Amino acid sequence: MKFGVNFFPVIDPAKKSASTYYDESLRLVELAEALDFEHVQTVEHYGSPYGGYSPDPVVFLTAAAARTSRIRLVTGAVIASFAHPVQTAARLALLDNLSHGRLDVGFGRGFLPDEFELFGVPMEESRTRFTEVVDACTALWSGEEVRFEGEVHRFGPVTGFPRPHQHPHPPVFVASATSAESCALAGARGHHLQVVPSVTSREQLIGMTTAYRAARSAAGHEGPGRIQIKYTCYLGEDREVALADARANERNYVEMMAGAVASWAEARSEQYPGYEKFVEKARAYDFDKALADHKVLAGTPADVRAQIETIRGWYGADICLSLQFNPGHVPYERAERAMELFAAEVAPAFTGSHDGAPVPAAVAA
């Protein structure tokens, strides 16, 4: 198994400023590399405390690239619906060059009605726009004098500049929230996969990853493909402190998410079947049930090791967990210590990369 670090800011600006969040997160990026995490990644959202501190993953990851030399940089994900593919391909290729080929590109459709309304993009076009942007970007990265004729986007002939550092292009991930069909399509096309267990049942997520692997194998693509599963992780020597942090910050996450998805109470789209239930799911959230169902990781190193052992049994030993250590308003020092503890006392049980000796708290000083 591999482990990375994920940044999804769900923050009340009255409690933490944007500049403070960025300063703290970039310090954690440097620590992630020092502790041999596989990647850092961040999201793209607009206009609310639910992810709104991360409107441009390329900018954040460019700052991360300047502070590191080895760790992978992952968009998790670029929302394909909100920008022209020529612009998207060029900006990502720039980051791939700045990082000397450390970029993994995750693409997502977006799912918040308010964001689509903000950009004046019909939600009914989201699947078409997603497919066209992924296809157009890969063509621009790997071809010359590219002509593209889609339902939404038409351009060319044009040769994309700059050319990406990686050949023929950076690895492509597809972010899927609930659809086994989308996962199967990603596998069939040879892409990698990003999923989030908090919005699906275990049975549904097993179905999604199974469909992905089967479609990828049937299409004859080399290797099993990479599956990233995103979790929030509250880890500490004191179980009660870790669980108190988890309970408070998960409540904050659910409250912010409930505000962001509130428009689904009125919105309906054939492109997003069942998404109107997001409001109900947010209101019904129960932390203790989520912890028991392993939708969130929390407790001592021994607790989290046991949780991950169960998760590995469900989804396979080849998965990569992308872990958020600083959600909401977790104090920086506790997020830093959680990462140190994870690297020293949790990850070795699954990677064999360290001897398991505790990492001193001053490792990042």
Side-chain angles (χ1 to χ4, degrees):
M1 289 181 70
K2 294 181 179 180
F3 301 97
V5 178
N6 182 34
F7 296 95
F8 190 137
V10 184
I11 295 174
D12 179 352
K15 295 182 179 179
K16 183 177 289 187
S17 70
S19 58
T20 297
Y21 173 77
Y22 302 141
D23 288 346
E24 291 180 353
S25 296
L26 289 169
R27 288 175 65 189
L28 294 178
V29 165
E30 294 181 271
L31 180 62
E33 178 164 276
L35 295 175
D36 289 330
F37 282 90
E38 191 262 351
H39 71 261
V40 293
Q41 74 168 276
T42 193
V43 296
E44 179 178 348
H45 280 295
Y46 300 90
S48 83
Y50 181 76
Y53 273 6
S54 185
D56 191 336
V58 172
V59 172
F60 179 84
L61 293 175
T62 298
R67 292 169 176 249
T68 58
S69 61
R70 303 185 315 277
I71 199 164
R72 300 293 298 178
L73 309 167
V74 186
T75 61
V78 170
I79 301 180
S81 298
F82 299 156
H84 193 281
V86 172
Q87 180 186 37
T88 299
R91 295 175 69 249
L92 290 165
L94 173 60
L95 174 54
D96 195 42
N97 280 281
L98 289 171
S99 66
H100 290 191
R102 291 187 283 137
L103 177 64
D104 293 338
V105 180
F107 289 100
R109 282 201 291 150
F111 75 100
L112 296 177
D114 287 345
E115 290 184 344
F116 281 87
E117 183 177 355
L118 184 66
F119 285 96
V121 174
M123 292 193 75
E124 296 304 323
E125 293 181 358
S126 69
R127 192 179 298 277
T128 298
R129 286 175 175 267
F130 173 83
T131 301
E132 289 188 6
V133 167
V134 174
D135 289 349
C137 283
T138 54
L140 287 162
W141 289 330
S142 55
E144 296 182 1
E145 294 298 300
V146 173
R147 291 182 181 271
F148 192 86
E149 293 288 338
E151 294 181 35
V152 177
H153 298 292
R154 299 174 181 84
F155 59 83
V158 62
T159 298
F161 285 99
R163 315 301 286 167
H165 187 278
Q166 299 175 84
H167 300 287
H169 54 73
V172 171
F173 284 76
V174 168
S176 179
T178 62
S179 172
E181 180 183 359
S182 295
C183 294
L185 182 59
R189 303 189 73 177
H191 301 320
H192 306 289
L193 187 65
Q194 296 174 336
V195 291
V196 183
S198 62
V199 297
T200 62
S201 67
R202 177 185 23 150
E203 294 76 15
Q204 187 176 17
L205 189 55
I206 290 173
M208 292 163 65
T209 55
T210 300
Y212 169 78
R213 291 186 174 107
R216 185 180 175 94
S217 177
H221 295 291
E222 184 178 353
R226 295 156 62 190
I227 300 175
Q228 291 178 353
I229 308 181
K230 304 178 186 183
Y231 286 89
T232 306
C233 183
Y234 305 89
L235 182 62
E237 289 98 341
D238 187 317
R239 176 182 290 112
E240 295 309 311
V241 172
L243 291 179
D245 271 349
R247 192 178 300 276
N249 284 280
E250 289 299 290
R251 184 184 306 114
N252 171 76
Y253 176 89
V254 170
E255 289 174 355
M256 299 296 186
M257 182 181 181
V261 303
S263 52
W264 274 116
E266 305 296 333
R268 297 292 183 273
S269 172
E270 293 180 358
Q271 301 277 304
Y272 297 87
Y275 274 61
E276 67 276 3
K277 297 178 182 177
F278 264 123
V279 178
E280 178 183 335
K281 287 180 180 180
R283 290 172 179 165
Y285 179 83
D286 182 285
F287 170 75
D288 294 310
K289 186 176 187 305
L291 183 62
D293 290 343
H294 298 328
K295 292 179 179 291
V296 58
L297 307 179
T300 65
D303 295 331
V304 173
R305 282 197 305 270
Q307 292 160 2
I308 294 176
E309 186 64 48
T310 299
I311 288 166
R312 181 170 65 172
W314 290 342
Y315 307 122
D318 58 344
I319 58 175
C320 176
L321 301 191
S322 192
L323 306 170
Q324 179 167 211
F325 293 97
N326 69 332
H329 310 107
V330 171
Y332 173 80
E333 293 74 17
R334 288 217 276 270
E336 177 185 70
R337 188 59 182 155
M339 287 176 58
E340 294 168 349
L341 286 171
F342 191 95
E345 301 184 29
V346 179
F350 305 96
T351 65
S353 58
H354 299 291
D355 61 10
V359 174
V363 69

